[in-house]
């Protein structure tokens, strides 16, 4: 017997389905404590910090990551088109802020190649070299670039962009929009970072060869820059090229040794720092900058700069770029943080991570930093050297602070080509993402298409426009897949209450007279009409055709009835109505066992035509719509369901809804779906309940006991 909790004629009390409203805010000590522990996570884990268990591992990891911060901070500052010392500032302040507000124990916040490149594209667009040309007699062209003024303005652009990026992230985190990163799928992020890595490589070629190509902006920027660099190759600075080749060879060799013998080495060899020290000493003693015209880092001021408010007049021209950086940096950080959290069995809060990253950028914007995110290379070193908490990040910040306060001036003679080689070597992991392509070809070609399109758009359309186009394309693939879902007619697995695709499972048996229809996707305005078309196709019931035939038949019956009345009147006038009409009716109504409908009474005609209609239509008497995949119902879907119930009902096919979630029932109730024509008794919690109900109703109409037993089978 069917068990339907939504009884006909009864109203659903939505109070039982409505979530409880939050009580008015009351500031009590326990609530204040919970609030502080939620928004300031360091207060929850720092009092329980065990020096005996975690202290040594965090110390070693912090020193190792701090040593990596020094060369990477200065190198990635070149990508951001700001002086190298600002990369050191970026490796200090945001790390301390994340130590307080972050929830991941293993990620290393700081400079990152892709984010630095995105900031660099903004700073060079708003502060190009051409805006800082001044007259000079020392230059062959009569002009030279005022590098001090240019760098100062570029720092203002970078800090303003960083402050705006942080503000976006904090607001989104406070509004619980931590899910925003999910709109950037993994194939999109990996394709984007690979394309950005190609931009990084091209942008650093000028430092490797010691040339000065023209700055390009907009689409095909990478192609134009590469053409300019190739055209300037005859002007290559030989000392710069030698330094680049030697540094690159040493870095690659030692990093491969670190990778091969990672389990045997207690700590990875800090080859980046060693190369920087060696290159700085070589440059200092043989005067590479003065005699051989090799570009060096230049003046590095000792100490920390006081905080300053970024130029608010730049905000209007940075909104789009800042939002793009906010989304990309968060997507990179949260994906890396969740990887470590899954591996070590702890939880990373999406919204709190967004707030922590936003505060790191916001505070960093006041202290002359540019945008940060998690670095995979530093995070892996922090994990592999024994780091267990964010205390390792605080220790790495102390290493950077000591360098800025006491050791910064020692790196003034460092060749920029060495920093570029460090950037090159650290891009290896990003280019290895190209190995995704064969795997995606085998597993999911739609994701492969997203990866390739994202990479191509990023490569050809620049970082900001490429990201926008890539996200749009990725969302379009989702929309198209929802518009082209798979539709199934379900069959019953004997001996169970399960219903599966009848074509896929040979054991599944379709129930006589009942069509159970399921869509693999949710329903909304974009696929509502397709859903109805697929239902008619799968069920074999062409509603429009049947309705058209029904209307023609009714019209014909009316014409025949009128004709019969006129014929009777004429016959009654010329003969005995009782005898003649009876004999004519008997002789002409039945001929050779066939019925002549033209001589039937009106009541008899309608009754007989109904019997003919019932016998000639499809054998399906019931359709069950499995709505278990539906999470919401919009107005278009609501109208479509109403039309299905009404139109199928006109051709004597009952429609039932099964597997509806509570929220779907609420939407149906609020949209006025239930009315005199659509009762609540047509809604069932499971498919099996709806099937039992249909069989019980049909069983009352069956006259043959054998047929009744055959239809019911083991359902009874």
């Amino acid at each position: 017997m069917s068990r339907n909790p939504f009884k006909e004629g009864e109203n659903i009390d939505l109070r039982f389905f409505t979530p409880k409203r939050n009580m008015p805010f009351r500031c009590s000590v326990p609530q204040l404590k919970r609030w502080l522990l939620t928004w300031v996570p360091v207060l929850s884990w720092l009092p329980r910090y065990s020096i005996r268990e975690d202290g040594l591992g965090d110390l070693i990891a912090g020193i190792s990551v701090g040593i990596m911060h020094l060369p990477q901070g200065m190198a990635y500052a070149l990508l951001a088109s700001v002086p190298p010392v600002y990369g050191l500032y970026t490796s200090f302040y945001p790390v301390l802020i994340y130590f307080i507000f972050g929830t991941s124990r293993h990620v290393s916040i700081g400079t990152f190649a892709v984010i630095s490149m995105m900031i660099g594209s903004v700073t060079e667009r708003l502060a190009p070299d051409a805006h800082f040309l001044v007259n000079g007699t020392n230059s062959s062209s009569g002009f030279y670039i005022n590098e001090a003024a240019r760098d100062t303005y570029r720092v203002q652009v970078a800090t303003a962009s960083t402050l705006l990026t942080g503000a976006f992230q904090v607001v989104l985190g406070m509004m619980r929009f931590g899910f925003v990163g999910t709109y950037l799928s993994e194939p999109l992020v990996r394709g984007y970072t690979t394309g950005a890595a190609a931009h990084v490589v091209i942008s650093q070629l000028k430092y490797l060869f010691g040339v000065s190509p023209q700055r390009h902006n907009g689409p095909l920027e990478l192609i134009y820059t590469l053409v300019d660099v190739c055209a300037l190759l005859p002007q290559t600075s030989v000392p710069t090229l030698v330094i680049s080749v030697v540094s690159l060879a040493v870095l690659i060799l030692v990093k491969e040794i670190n990778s091969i013998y990672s389990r045997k080495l207690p700590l990875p060899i800090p080859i980046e720092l060693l190369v920087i020290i060696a290159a700085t000493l070589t440059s200092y003693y043989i005067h590479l900058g003065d005699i051989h015209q090799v570009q060096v880092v230049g003046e590095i001021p000792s100490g920390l700069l006081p905080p300053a408010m970024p130029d608010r007049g730049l905000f209007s021209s940075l909104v789009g770029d800042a939002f793009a950086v906010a989304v990309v940096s968060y997507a990179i950080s949260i994906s890396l943080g969740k990887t470590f959290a899954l591996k070590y069995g702890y939880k990373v809060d999406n919204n709190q991570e967004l707030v922590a990253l936003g505060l790191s950028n916001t505070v960093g914007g006041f202290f002359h930093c540019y945008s940060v995110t998690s670095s995979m290379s530093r995070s892996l070193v922090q994990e592999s050297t024994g780091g267990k908490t964010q205390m390792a990040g605080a220790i790495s910040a102390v290493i950077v602070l000591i360098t800025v306060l006491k050791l910064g001036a020692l790196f003034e003679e460092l060749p920029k080509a060495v920093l570029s080689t460090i950037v090159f070597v650290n891009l290896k992991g990003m280019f290895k993402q190209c190995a995704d392509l064969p795997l995606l070809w085998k597993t999911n070609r739609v994701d492969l298409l997203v990866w390739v399109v994202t990479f191509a758009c990023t490569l050809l359309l620049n970082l900001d426009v490429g990201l926008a186009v890539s996200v749009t394309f990725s969302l379009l693939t989702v929309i198209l897949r929802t518009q082209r879902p798979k539709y199934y007619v379900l069959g019953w697995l004997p001996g169970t209450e399960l219903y599966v695709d009848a074509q896929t499972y040979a054991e599944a048996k379709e129930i006589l007279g009942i069509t159970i229809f399921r869509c693999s996707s949710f329903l909304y305005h974009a696929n509502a009409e397709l859903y109805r078309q697929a239902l008619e196709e799968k069920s074999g019931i062409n509603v429009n055709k049947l309705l058209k035939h029904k209307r023609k038949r009714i019209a014909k019956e009316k014409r025949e009835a009128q004709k019969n009345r006129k014929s009777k009147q004429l016959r009654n006038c010329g003969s005995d109505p009782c005898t003649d009409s009876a004999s004519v009716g008997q002789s002409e109504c039945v001929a050779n066992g066939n019925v002549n409908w033209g001589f039937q009474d009106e009541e008899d005609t309608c009754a007989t035509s109904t019997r003919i209609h019932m016998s000639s239509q499809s054998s399906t008497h019931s359709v069950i719509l499995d709505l278990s995949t539906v999470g919401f119902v919009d107005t278009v879907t609501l109208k479509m369901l109403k039309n299905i119930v009404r139109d199928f009902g006109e051709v004597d096919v009952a429609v039932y809804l099964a597997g509806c979630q509570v929220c779907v029932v609420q939407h149906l109730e609020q949209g006025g779906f239930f009315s005199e024509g659509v009762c609540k008794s047509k809604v069932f919690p499971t498919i099996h309940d709806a099937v039992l109900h249909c069989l019980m109703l049909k069983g009352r109409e069956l006259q043959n006991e054998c047929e009744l037993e055959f239809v019911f089978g083991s359902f009874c």
Side-chain angles (χ1 to χ4, degrees):
M1 186 173 182
S2 64
R3 46 187 192 279
N4 186 0
F6 308 110
K7 295 182 179 179
E8 182 176 358
E10 294 185 2
N11 293 322
I12 300 177
D13 192 348
L14 296 180
R15 292 177 300 174
F16 295 104
F17 301 107
T18 305
K20 295 181 179 179
R21 297 182 180 273
N22 294 328
M23 296 297 293
F25 178 76
R26 296 177 182 177
C27 186
S28 61
V29 174
Q31 287 180 338
L32 180 61
K33 182 179 179 180
R34 285 194 299 270
W35 187 89
L36 287 175
L37 293 179
T38 300
W39 292 103
V40 190
V42 69
L43 298 178
S44 62
W45 65 264
L46 188 58
R48 302 194 303 269
Y49 184 78
S50 174
I51 298 178
R52 177 178 297 178
E53 295 180 3
D54 305 330
L56 181 60
D58 286 341
L59 178 63
I60 296 174
I63 294 174
S64 302
V65 173
I67 291 173
M68 292 183 67
H69 266 303
L70 301 178
Q72 289 188 5
M74 291 188 290
Y76 293 154
L78 297 181
L79 295 177
S81 298
V82 296
V85 68
Y86 291 94
L88 297 179
Y89 298 154
T90 306
S91 301
F92 173 64
Y93 290 107
V95 175
L96 290 180
I97 300 300
Y98 187 83
F99 165 77
I100 298 172
F101 296 99
T103 59
S104 177
R105 304 173 188 174
H106 294 88
V107 299
S108 174
I109 292 292
T111 56
F112 186 63
V114 174
I115 302 302
S116 301
M117 187 66 195
M118 295 179 74
I119 295 296
S121 65
V122 177
T123 56
E124 292 192 7
R125 187 184 76 240
L126 297 182
D129 292 340
H131 290 181
F132 300 93
L133 294 177
V134 295
N135 293 325
T137 57
N138 296 332
S139 175
S140 58
S141 62
F143 296 93
Y144 72 94
I145 299 174
N146 187 346
E147 294 184 358
R150 180 199 64 185
D151 292 345
T152 300
Y153 190 71
R154 285 182 175 178
V155 170
Q156 292 180 6
V157 174
T159 55
S161 175
T162 301
L163 179 59
L164 204 55
T165 296
F168 278 130
Q169 291 172 332
V170 171
V171 171
L172 290 175
M174 297 287 287
M175 295 175 63
R176 320 303 290 176
F177 269 69
F179 63 87
V180 70
T182 60
Y183 288 102
L184 301 183
S185 64
E186 184 178 356
L188 187 147
V189 172
R190 294 174 74 86
Y192 181 77
T193 52
T194 306
H199 277 274
V200 171
V201 168
I202 300 302
S203 70
Q204 295 303 292
L205 290 177
K206 61 182 179 181
Y207 296 113
L208 293 181
F209 294 101
V211 296
S212 300
Q214 183 181 354
R215 172 66 183 174
H216 299 279
N217 289 312
L220 302 180
E221 165 192 333
L222 182 140
I223 306 299
Y224 294 143
T225 303
L226 182 60
V227 170
D228 283 353
V229 170
C230 293
L232 293 173
L233 285 180
Q235 304 176 19
T236 300
S237 172
V238 176
T240 301
L241 182 60
V242 171
I243 293 171
S244 301
V245 171
V246 173
S247 301
L248 202 58
V250 173
L251 286 168
I252 293 175
L253 178 62
V254 178
K255 278 187 172 289
E256 288 299 320
I257 294 175
N258 283 338
S259 177
I260 295 172
Y261 298 100
S262 59
R263 296 185 179 181
K264 297 182 179 180
L265 294 173
L267 293 174
I269 301 172
I271 186 58
E272 295 173 339
L273 183 60
L274 295 178
V275 167
I276 283 180
I277 293 173
T280 303
L281 292 175
T282 303
S283 175
Y284 177 77
Y285 283 109
I286 65 176
H287 306 287
L288 290 177
D290 297 333
I291 299 177
H292 301 284
Q293 304 302 316
V294 174
Q295 295 184 35
V296 296
V297 169
E299 181 182 0
I300 297 180
S302 298
L304 299 173
L305 298 178
M309 177 68 188
D311 187 357
R312 290 173 292 180
L314 295 170
F315 287 168
S316 59
S317 57
L318 294 172
V319 172
D321 300 289
F323 186 79
V325 174
V327 174
V328 173
S329 61
Y330 171 68
I332 294 172
S333 182
I334 194 63
S335 61
L336 194 58
K338 285 189 173 182
T339 300
F340 288 116
L342 183 63
K343 182 177 181 179
Y344 290 96
Y346 62 89
K347 183 180 179 181
V348 171
D349 188 334
N350 290 1
N351 296 302
Q352 183 59 29
E353 281 295 295
L354 189 53
V355 171
L357 195 61
L359 290 174
S360 299
N361 284 319
T362 302
V363 175
F366 289 105
F367 286 92
H368 314 282
C369 303
Y370 59 89
S371 297
V372 298
T373 190
S374 301
S375 167
M376 180 176 293
S377 60
R378 292 194 306 270
S379 299
L380 291 175
V381 169
Q382 180 170 319
E383 178 212 11
S384 62
T385 52
K388 297 181 180 179
T389 68
Q390 269 300 325
M391 186 63 72
I395 294 172
S396 70
V398 173
I399 301 297
V400 175
L401 177 63
I402 294 173
T403 304
V404 172
L405 294 178
K406 300 296 182 182
L407 305 177
L410 299 178
F411 297 104
E412 292 180 354
E413 295 296 324
L414 173 64
K416 290 184 178 180
V418 176
L419 296 178
S420 295
T421 59
I422 293 174
V423 173
F424 263 70
V425 174
N426 284 308
L427 293 176
K428 174 186 174 183
M430 293 188 191
F431 285 115
K432 287 177 69 176
Q433 294 176 150
C434 293
D436 296 345
L437 299 179
L439 180 62
L440 291 175
W441 176 264
K442 296 178 182 178
T443 56
N444 193 318
R445 296 188 181 180
V446 175
D447 285 344
L448 172 65
L449 186 61
V450 171
W451 198 106
V452 173
V453 170
T454 302
F455 176 77
C457 291
T458 306
L459 212 62
L460 301 177
L461 301 179
N462 210 349
L463 297 179
D464 47 359
V465 179
L467 177 63
V469 174
S470 302
V471 172
T472 303
F473 179 80
S474 179
L475 293 178
L476 282 176
T477 61
V478 176
I479 294 173
L480 290 176
R481 277 188 278 186
T482 61
Q483 285 187 309
R484 296 182 176 273
K486 293 184 178 180
Y487 300 99
Y488 308 99
V489 172
L490 304 185
W492 172 60
L493 286 178
T496 70
E497 296 184 3
L498 301 178
Y499 296 83
V500 295
D501 180 19
Q503 292 183 349
T504 304
Y505 298 90
E507 299 84 358
K509 300 182 182 301
E510 294 189 27
I511 304 172
L512 183 64
I514 301 176
T515 298
I516 307 171
F517 185 70
R518 173 185 290 171
C519 175
S520 63
S521 176
F522 53 88
L523 297 178
Y524 68 117
H525 60 274
N527 61 4
E529 186 61 30
L530 297 174
Y531 180 86
R532 168 161 183 159
Q533 294 175 4
L535 172 61
E536 294 186 4
E537 180 182 349
K538 291 287 185 179
S539 64
I541 303 174
N542 191 329
V543 175
N544 292 331
K545 185 176 180 180
L546 291 176
L547 288 176
K548 184 178 179 181
H549 289 171
K550 182 178 179 180
R551 294 189 188 101
K552 288 183 178 179
R553 184 174 57 254
I554 293 174
K556 184 177 180 180
E557 289 170 355
K558 289 182 179 179
R559 290 194 301 268
E560 293 292 339
Q562 293 177 357
K563 185 177 179 181
N564 290 340
R565 284 196 296 269
K566 292 181 179 179
S567 300
K568 285 184 179 181
Q569 292 174 358
L570 292 175
R571 288 195 301 270
N572 290 337
C573 293
S575 62
D576 183 23
C578 297
T579 307
D580 294 344
S581 63
S583 59
V584 171
Q586 291 177 355
S587 61
E588 296 192 17
C589 287
V590 180
N592 299 326
N594 296 324
V595 180
N596 188 343
W597 310 114
F599 296 94
Q600 289 283 323
D601 290 338
E602 183 176 358
E603 292 81 3
D604 295 339
T605 302
C606 294
T608 310
S609 65
T610 303
R611 290 194 296 270
I612 293 174
H613 170 60
M614 291 297 296
S615 61
S616 63
Q617 74 168 10
S618 170
S619 60
T620 301
H621 56 77
S622 301
V623 171
I624 300 173
L625 304 181
D626 179 14
L627 301 183
S628 58
T629 60
V630 179
F632 66 93
V633 178
D634 59 14
T635 55
V636 176
T637 306
L638 189 68
K639 291 179 181 178
M640 182 268 296
L641 292 175
K642 280 184 177 180
N643 292 337
I644 287 177
V645 175
R646 181 197 64 202
D647 295 344
F648 276 67
E650 290 185 5
V651 294
D652 301 324
V653 178
V655 178
Y656 301 92
L657 310 182
C660 298
Q661 303 178 43
V662 173
C663 59
V664 173
V665 177
Q666 289 179 333
H667 293 164
L668 295 175
E669 177 80 11
Q670 294 167 359
F673 178 78
F674 300 110
S675 60
E676 294 181 359
V678 184
C679 341
K680 296 186 181 71
S681 60
K682 291 183 177 290
V683 181
F684 291 86
T686 67
I687 298 176
H688 194 64
D689 293 326
V691 170
L692 291 177
H693 178 77
C694 295
L695 293 176
M696 286 294 181
L697 290 180
K698 189 61 178 176
R700 298 171 188 169
E701 302 175 6
L702 298 176
Q703 303 298 325
N704 191 333
E705 291 296 331
C706 296
E707 184 181 1
L708 179 64
E709 183 178 355
F710 171 75
V711 172
F712 274 78
S714 3
F715 282 92
C716 299

